[in-house]
Amino acid sequence: MFDAIQAFLSGFLYEWLAITITLVLQAVAVILPIMLVVAWLTYAERKVIGYMQVRMGPNRVGPIGLLQPIADALKLMTKEVIFPAQSNKYLFILAPILAIAPAVAAYAVIPFSDGVVVTDINAGVLYVLAVSSILVYGTVVAGWASNSKYAFLGALRGSAQKISYEIAMGFALVTVLMIAGTMNLTEIVNNQQGGILNWYLLPLLPMFFVYFISGLAETNRTPFDVIEGEAEIVAGFHVDYSGMTFGVFMLAEYAMMILISFMASIMFLGGWLSPFEGIPLLETLFSWVPQLAWLSIKVALLLFVFLWLRATFPRYRYDQLMRLGWKVLIPLTIVWVFVVGAMKYFDFGPWFN
Amino acid sequence: MSFEQFIFYVLAAIAIISGLMMITVKNPVKAALWLVLAFISTAGLWIMAQAEFLGLVLILVYVGAVMVLFLFVVMMLDINMAILKEGFTRYLPIGALAAIAIFALMYMVVGPEHFGLDKIAAPAAKPADYSNTTEIAIPLYTEHAYAFILAAVLLLVGIVAAIALTLRRRPSGTVLYQNIEKQNRTEKSERLEMVKMDAVVEQPAAEDKEEEKK
């Protein structure tokens, strides 16, 4: 479809302009649904946590509160953006942009079904890792530019935490690459064909947990939200942000949560593959379900776990958090790299053929 | 102008401008951020040269880790720019001389007469399934495996040295240390004592009397 648009546009425009317009259209086609999902994810979060804490959650705007995200967005957009005294204006505005740009840019390589992907590059995993590693600048720049103690403490915590957990996350993905033998996300999913047993969940079960825990730390979700830590440092790095600049930080956090869920589903849970593959009756019964629906169900389940954890766990103390990252998760991943190496050497299970 | 040229010139312009800003801007935090931008645009140029592995690793390692640690340190420094700028004019001639010498050396080695399509032919575009990662990995882990392991050991020695230099254990009497294993092994019986007592309902009699007085 986009090729046709590009061909049509290059009929009467410069070639580079036609390509740029097509790229922008593609980006909008991916970003718009993601932003809508983000909006109703905030609603889902409040509802889920509400019911877990035996209360109703938002239920005033629209039927059962369904229009609450729109009301929230309108409220944030109409609020004044306050610049703290002696803050650095340019960097103060730049920080939310730095937070959301990588969170959105990473979706360029995420395949939503077989072949439905903006750019099918062969270093997809590395791209996602690289782009999400830029994310920390949003936090750091916000904390420094605000000219506030609490924001600065949040920024320092954030930079140390994200670097620590990125290592564990990278190693967890290395084990996936060792099994799949490719960094292309579409190929990684296609290598998992043949039922639940062929997914990488089973041989890499500890790595799945390591990836998800690191994902929690990367997105600053409870129990690792020490960079916000409202009981200790008010609201951490975004304490001085108001209005839509604050809203953009929230958008980035939720977009990142969805990205982590997408990556975990693609890497470990067979992506868009049906869980009933290879089971005689169920496979035909569910063959009408589109690939995107399977992927969405897996992503939604993981997102629910994000919300569930938030309602369940208290915040980690900072030294405990560092200890978990460096002394538990990283050694575990290194051991598992060797385990996967041994599994590959002995052609263990259905995963290595 | 083709699309590739358009992207190339944009990235090259950003790289040069941010490099210049990095050395001219006064604030060290801003300088570090300009350097980050220079890294990112350079990574884009490498990716355009079909070295996507190197480009992405440049972002992952330098932008995602090294520069964050750098910022971490630079942000906490309270640098007085006035003292730092002291003696600028005094050392200007020496500095200018050094700069000119370095520029001349670089000009001789990487000057324009060494480049151009007649010196180095344009590399043929690789097919779509060409993987830069495997191209780098195969010689790295076969031909140069020995050098690779040596480099890894060198880094390990660096890590051990850094930890050994900064590790400071004070005698246990002077400071309190946490024993995490002991904390984790703590059980309910060590911390919590259940006390049985009769349910007592407090009588509000005393309060009533006080209110009557008022």
Side-chain angles (χ1 to χ4, degrees), chain A residues 88 122 137 159 317 323, chain B residues 30 63 67 72 130 178 180:
Chain A
N88 194 313
N122 48 22
Y137 283 98
S159 52
R317 208 171 61 204
R323 182 177 169 274
Chain B
K30 281 184 193 164
V63 176
M67 286 315 290
F72 190 93
Y130 165 80
Q178 289 185 37
I180 305 274

Side-chain angles (χ1 to χ4, degrees), chain B residues 85-157:
Chain B
K85 287 267 146 99
E86 238 172 25
F88 179 75
T89 42
R90 215 175 104 210
Y91 296 112
L92 188 64
I94 306 168
L97 213 68
I100 290 167
I102 290 170
F103 183 79
L105 283 174
M106 282 175 71
Y107 191 84
M108 279 192 275
V109 181
V110 291
E113 73 269 14
H114 297 282
F115 294 100
L117 286 178
D118 50 331
K119 298 279 192 310
I120 304 160
K126 301 287 193 298
D129 61 338
Y130 165 80
S131 173
N132 176 242
T133 316
T134 33
E135 291 296 306
I136 289 175
I138 289 169
L140 191 63
Y141 288 104
T142 54
E143 271 178 64
H144 308 295
Y146 192 54
F148 183 74
I149 293 169
L150 269 180
V153 171
L154 196 67
L155 283 173
L156 184 69
V157 171

Side-chain angles (χ1 to χ4, degrees), chain A residues 200-216:
Chain A
Y200 296 152
L201 181 67
L202 219 55
L204 299 178
L205 193 63
M207 291 304 99
F208 174 67
F209 288 114
V210 168
Y211 182 79
F212 199 76
I213 292 170
S214 317
L216 280 173

Side-chain angles (χ1 to χ4, degrees), chain A residues 81-117:
Chain A
V81 176
I82 299 164
F83 292 97
Q86 291 179 16
S87 67
N88 194 313
K89 293 251 176 358
Y90 297 108
L91 289 181
F92 192 76
I93 289 290
L94 185 73
I97 301 170
L98 278 178
I100 192 144
V104 170
Y107 284 98
V109 295
I110 299 287
F112 296 100
S113 321
D114 200 359
V116 184
V117 50

Side-chain angles (χ1 to χ4, degrees), chain B residues 33-83:
Chain B
L33 289 173
W34 279 112
L35 185 59
V36 167
L37 187 59
F39 276 140
I40 291 175
S41 46
T42 315
L45 287 177
W46 284 6
I47 290 170
M48 286 199 66
Q50 297 195 314
E52 77 272 0
F53 181 77
L54 292 180
L56 291 173
V57 165
L58 178 74
I59 293 185
L60 190 64
V61 174
Y62 280 89
V63 176
V66 173
M67 286 315 290
V68 175
L69 288 179
F70 214 85
L71 262 183
F72 190 93
V73 175
V74 165
M75 279 197 313
M76 287 196 283
L77 296 178
D78 185 22
I79 299 172
N80 190 340
M81 292 311 293
I83 292 173

Side-chain angles (χ1 to χ4, degrees), chain A residues 224-288:
Chain A
F224 303 111
D225 62 341
V226 290
I227 75 167
E228 283 163 37
E230 58 269 42
E232 303 150 22
I233 48 173
V234 201
F237 67 105
H238 57 46
V239 64
D240 279 315
Y241 282 85
S242 59
M244 207 51 212
T245 49
F246 168 77
V248 169
F249 275 119
M250 286 288 113
L251 280 182
E253 182 183 325
Y254 285 89
M256 218 33 217
M257 274 165 67
I258 300 172
L259 181 79
I260 296 282
S261 308
F262 262 113
M263 286 295 283
S265 331
I266 287 168
M267 298 279 188
F268 300 100
L269 303 178
W272 57 76
L273 300 172
S274 156
F276 302 120
E277 240 178 324
I279 302 170
L281 185 65
L282 286 169
E283 189 179 3
T284 45
L285 239 117
F286 283 93
S287 58
W288 56 272

